[in-house]
Amino acid sequence: MREEDKERGYDFHKASHTETMTINMGPSHPATHGTVKFFLTLDGETIEDIDVEIGYLHRAFEKECEAQKWNGVFPYTDRLDYTASVLNNVGYAMAAEKLIGIEVPERCKYLRTMISEMARMSGHYTNVGAGALELGALTAFIYFIEARELLWDLIESICGARLTHNYVRIGGLTNDLPDGFRENVKRVFAKNRKLWDDFDIMLTKNRIFLDRMRDTGGISQKDAIAWGFTGPCLRAAGVPYDVRRAQPYLMYDRMNFDIPVGSTGDNFDRYLVRMEEIKQSMSIVEQCLEQMPEGPINVDDARWRMPSKDDSSTKMEPLIFHFKQIIEGQSIPAGEAYQAVEGANGELGFYLVSNGGGKPWKCRVRPPSFALTSALPLLVKGSMLADLIPTFDMINLIGGECDR
Amino acid sequence: MAINIKKVDRNVSMTFLERMYIPYMLHGMWVAIRHAAINMLGFFEEILAGKSKRQVMTLFYPEEYPDIPPAYRGKPTLVRRDDGLEACVACGLCEAACPPLCISIIGGERENGERYPVTYTLDGTRCIYCGFCEEVCPKEAIVMSDRFQGLCEYDREKMIYDKESLLVPREKLQKRLDTIRNKYFSEKRYR
């Protein structure tokens, strides 16, 4: 400070921060994935205040469910977290099965576990890859997209679609594994591990990447729990909570895997946790294929199955019942149930209420990224505008899931 | 049950060379160049030697086709029986099961008492390719073919398919029909 300024009490630093600037970032911004608008109040480059506007992808999922029959909801659950569709299928099917009180066959459980982990991998590939892309690392993004492409080829050979799988049904699954699936998994995973290593070389020790990710968007354990964080973002803060471990469902209690946990909850921890989870998911898929028994993939109860094509073209009784089932909907006993699964972003819960009819009376989804997005002002207030990009990437808002 | 907790190493341990930045940058460039070289040479191999299997992810699309697995759900098509008539009996199950309500049928009866669809309209703008119609059809009259091209139009009117444009001879769909009868919707799934 100059002497004459000191004398008349003039502070240049204070005087230059006279007014703030408000700008709109989004709803369609090249550096944010997902349709979301930030209303920013900036002081120079520092974020004074941020208002997050969600809802651009709202399509009334919960209301739409009330118009569909129980099985007809599955195609719509695909569109919740579209980077990891099957996880939503599995969550909804398990909630409905809890309501009915049926147990699916063992092979079906193994298949569901396997395909869930594949979906989780695909979700993490998309998130980490897109996060790198938005920080300018286009090459690394392409490597993970290649890995995801190979993975989707596998999923396509089981389910019949690349993005909207529509694979699970109440009481079972649609398809069994195709021929030569194990060899394909071996080939694809070998390639995926190579691409993972290349991605790791490109980014994990990269100075530019470290400077943007480390010590930005941090959150303490206490705050993370208070804001309802789940999934990789909570684990990055150091809380070892994972639905797969806390309330083991499907076949997770028979698998050997690690749950990666960070310490400070900043973006770099979130990145590392996700990268480690990709590796753990690969090992779970391999274990599932090893342990998987032969057998049916659907419960053999006339109320929760389709007649086979042979039966429906020759026998009268199954055909009449089939018509009744499809036109009126399968009648699930009255009651309510909540089932949570570990989604790609965190705890994905389905709360179903039935009044005994053929349609859900109420279907409520607990989307993990909604809670994460609500804490975004806490994470970025006071930091630079450039820190918003990696923080928002690692929060991983999926429009379809958050807005429903 | 052995689900362990593993702490990730956030202070990534770096060797002296990695901390020097420039050697590490060159390492990263080497990875990028390796991938680029595999992609370039992969294409040359294809052109020069005509190898069928290559290391490149992308396809020369119109000349080269992707492998479509038997499970693939493409455009829904109606099956035309060997005698030239449609296999559909206009029972309306696909209409009832269709989540986005894209199918509408008006049924009729022939002189010999056989039911048939007078009109069968499938709205391609609404269809979500979920495959429920195929799953519930008791006559195996509608199947998801492997067709994925030409489903987009500039005019929405052209995407509303009528019965004639949906009908495909049975021989062309035999593979899918066998798959769904013997694999996906057989008793093996339940017992």
Side-chain angles (χ1 to χ4, degrees):
Chain A
M1 202 181 282
R2 292 187 309 183
E3 279 304 311
E4 58 263 40
D5 283 353
K6 215 180 244 174
E7 277 162 25
R8 60 191 173 108
Y10 174 80
D11 185 355
F12 174 74
H13 193 68
K14 220 182 229 171
S16 60
H17 290 249
T18 49
E19 57 180 324
T20 54
M21 180 168 55
T22 51
I23 55 165
N24 285 315
M25 189 173 163
S28 172
H29 192 272
T32 60
H33 57 256
T35 356
V36 63
K37 192 174 105 178
F38 306 119
F39 189 66
L40 293 158
T41 310
L42 296 177
D43 175 14
E45 259 196 277
T46 315
I47 298 171
E48 290 263 288
D49 196 11
I50 176 170
D51 198 7
V52 187
E53 272 182 34
I54 57 165
Y56 286 91
L57 224 57
H58 177 65
R59 48 199 196 289
F61 168 77
E62 286 172 10
K63 190 69 190 166
E64 180 69 49
C65 288
E66 293 165 23
Q68 297 296 339
K69 282 146 202 147
W70 285 99
N71 260 333
V73 175
F74 280 108
Y76 294 97
T77 57
D78 277 335
R79 282 135 178 101
L80 286 172
D81 181 354
Y82 39 78
T83 58
S85 311
V86 181
L87 278 165
N88 310 309
N89 283 187
V90 171
Y92 175 77
M94 280 174 63
E97 279 153 16
K98 203 175 187 179
L99 201 51
I100 304 163
I102 48 170
E103 188 87 352
V104 289
E106 194 157 315
R107 185 179 173 84
C108 169
K109 283 186 184 172
Y110 271 110
L111 277 169
R112 282 186 184 179
T113 315
M114 187 195 78
I115 196 100
S116 299
E117 289 309 311
M118 283 185 167
R120 192 187 317 286
M121 277 164 73
S122 135
H124 285 349
Y125 277 144
T126 317
N127 174 31
V128 178
L133 167 75
E134 279 145 25
L135 301 182
L138 180 66
T139 317
F141 167 72
I142 296 290
Y143 296 165
F144 261 11
I145 290 305
E146 184 178 342
R148 191 184 76 173
E149 205 63 26
L150 287 162
L151 198 69
W152 277 3
D153 279 342
L154 280 183
I155 294 177
E156 188 190 21
S157 73
I158 312 174
C159 315
R162 299 177 80 78
L163 194 67
T164 51
H165 310 314
N166 190 15
Y167 180 49
V168 186
R169 293 285 179 277
I170 292 168
L173 300 165
T174 52
N175 311 339
D176 209 333
L177 292 183
D179 304 328
F181 184 75
R182 281 157 206 268
E183 292 78 55
N184 281 343
V185 167
K186 243 175 230 166
R187 178 179 55 82
V188 166
F189 278 17
K191 180 83 183 161
N192 271 15
R193 288 203 165 96
K194 263 185 214 157
L195 288 164
W196 191 95
D197 286 341
D198 286 347
F199 191 91
D200 192 50
I201 290 171
M202 294 288 235
L203 289 181
T204 307
K205 292 175 185 175
N206 186 327
R207 236 318 247 283
I208 304 165
F209 190 70
L210 280 175
D211 286 349
R212 300 263 330 243
M213 299 292 269
R214 215 189 252 173
D215 301 323
T216 56
I219 191 166
S220 70
Q221 277 194 20
K222 216 175 129 193
D223 279 347
I225 293 169
W227 280 89
F229 273 35
T230 43
C233 292
L234 179 67
R235 290 195 283 279
V239 186
Y241 175 75
D242 189 316
V243 183
R244 292 175 291 174
R245 181 170 175 271
Q247 307 143 27
Y249 56 97
L250 294 176
M251 284 296 162
Y252 284 111
D253 49 353
R254 295 194 199 173
M255 303 289 150
N256 284 315
F257 64 99
D258 298 338
I259 289 175
V261 166
S263 48
T264 58
D266 65 353
N267 290 327
F268 193 56
D269 268 341
R270 291 179 194 137
Y271 160 80
L272 287 174
V273 165
R274 285 208 169 92
M275 287 292 274
E276 184 60 35
E277 270 186 20
I278 293 173
K279 274 197 153 176
Q280 298 300 334
S281 291
M282 277 194 224
S283 112
I284 296 174
V285 172
E286 279 161 355
Q287 286 174 45
C288 278
L289 281 172
E290 246 168 54
Q291 297 177 16
M292 197 181 291
E294 288 296 316
I297 56 165
N298 208 328
V299 287
D300 189 17
D301 183 336
R303 286 171 299 169
W304 317 115
R305 56 164 281 184
M306 297 265 177
S308 65
K309 291 280 179 191
D310 283 329
D311 275 4
S312 67
S313 56
T314 51
K315 291 178 189 161
M316 201 64 205
E317 278 302 316
L319 187 63
I320 292 170
F321 192 64
H322 178 53
F323 264 77
K324 203 168 136 42
Q325 287 275 51
I326 299 298
I327 290 167
E328 287 173 8
Q330 299 161 316
S331 59
I332 285 184
E336 53 187 59
Y338 176 80
Q339 173 72 43
V341 291
E342 180 70 23
N345 285 338
E347 181 179 329
L348 176 76
F350 281 90
Y351 174 69
L352 299 178
V353 183
S354 169
N355 65 346
K359 293 172 178 176
W361 183 251
K362 173 74 191 164
C363 171
R364 157 90 181 127
V365 186
R366 188 232 180 255
S369 53
F370 183 75
L372 298 172
T373 312
S374 67
L376 194 64
L378 179 80
L379 300 179
V380 296
K381 239 181 233 180
S383 61
M384 305 290 274
L385 177 59
D387 293 341
L388 176 63
I389 307 295
T391 310
F392 183 65
D393 284 337
M394 288 296 134
I395 284 290
N396 195 17
L397 174 130
I398 304 279
E401 180 187 66
C402 183
D403 304 341
R404 307 192 294 295
Chain B
M1 174 175 164
I3 306 177
N4 307 314
I5 290 161
K6 183 182 178 185
K7 202 132 193 156
V8 293
D9 176 22
R10 91 183 280 283
N11 303 311
V12 276
S13 50
M14 292 200 217
T15 58
F16 178 70
L17 276 179
E18 281 170 346
R19 226 171 289 146
M20 290 300 286
Y21 190 60
I22 287 174
Y24 189 69
M25 199 177 77
L26 293 175
H27 190 183
M29 278 184 78
W30 159 242
V31 173
I33 289 167
R34 199 182 68 217
H35 274 267
I38 288 172
N39 285 348
M40 293 301 291
L41 293 176
F43 277 121
F44 283 135
E45 223 171 64
E46 166 79 10
I47 294 159
L48 296 176
K51 281 193 181 171
S52 57
K53 196 101 178 161
R54 61 163 203 265
Q55 291 291 309
V56 187
M57 271 300 293
T58 45
L59 295 170
F60 290 117
Y61 168 59
E63 287 85 30
E64 208 174 16
Y65 257 57
D67 289 334
I68 300 209
Y72 189 77
R73 299 195 301 265
K75 185 190 174 188
T77 43
L78 289 173
V79 179
R80 191 192 284 278
R81 287 190 324 217
D82 298 336
D83 58 0
L85 300 171
E86 55 283 272
C88 177
V89 292
C91 69
L93 264 195
C94 47
E95 208 177 352
C98 182
L101 311 172
C102 76
I103 301 173
S104 51
I105 310 168
I106 297 172
E109 207 166 298
R110 289 202 184 90
E111 283 94 57
N112 59 2
E114 212 174 44
R115 277 180 63 80
Y116 78 105
V118 179
T119 64
Y120 190 108
T121 318
L122 197 146
D123 190 346
T125 55
R126 297 186 71 118
C127 181
I128 55 172
Y129 304 92
C130 62
F132 274 120
C133 46
E134 178 194 50
E135 205 164 306
V136 299
C137 183
K139 298 297 281 181
E140 294 169 312
I142 182 164
V143 292
M144 307 301 278
S145 65
D146 58 1
R147 189 174 152 203
F148 61 92
Q149 289 170 310
L151 300 178
C152 305
E153 298 280 354
Y154 286 106
D155 188 1
R156 288 187 186 200
E157 292 297 313
K158 286 181 190 160
M159 289 180 74
I160 296 169
Y161 309 117
D162 60 354
K163 190 175 78 179
E164 283 310 311
S165 63
L166 285 168
L167 278 168
V168 170
R170 181 189 281 274
E171 304 93 64
K172 285 191 183 166
L173 300 167
Q174 199 57 47
K175 209 173 136 195
R176 179 73 184 176
L177 283 168
D178 288 345
T179 318
I180 57 175
R181 182 179 270 252
N182 301 327
K183 225 169 165 184
Y184 300 154
F185 305 112
S186 69
E187 281 297 311
K188 221 169 69 187
R189 184 170 147 194
Y190 307 102
R191 293 213 176 91

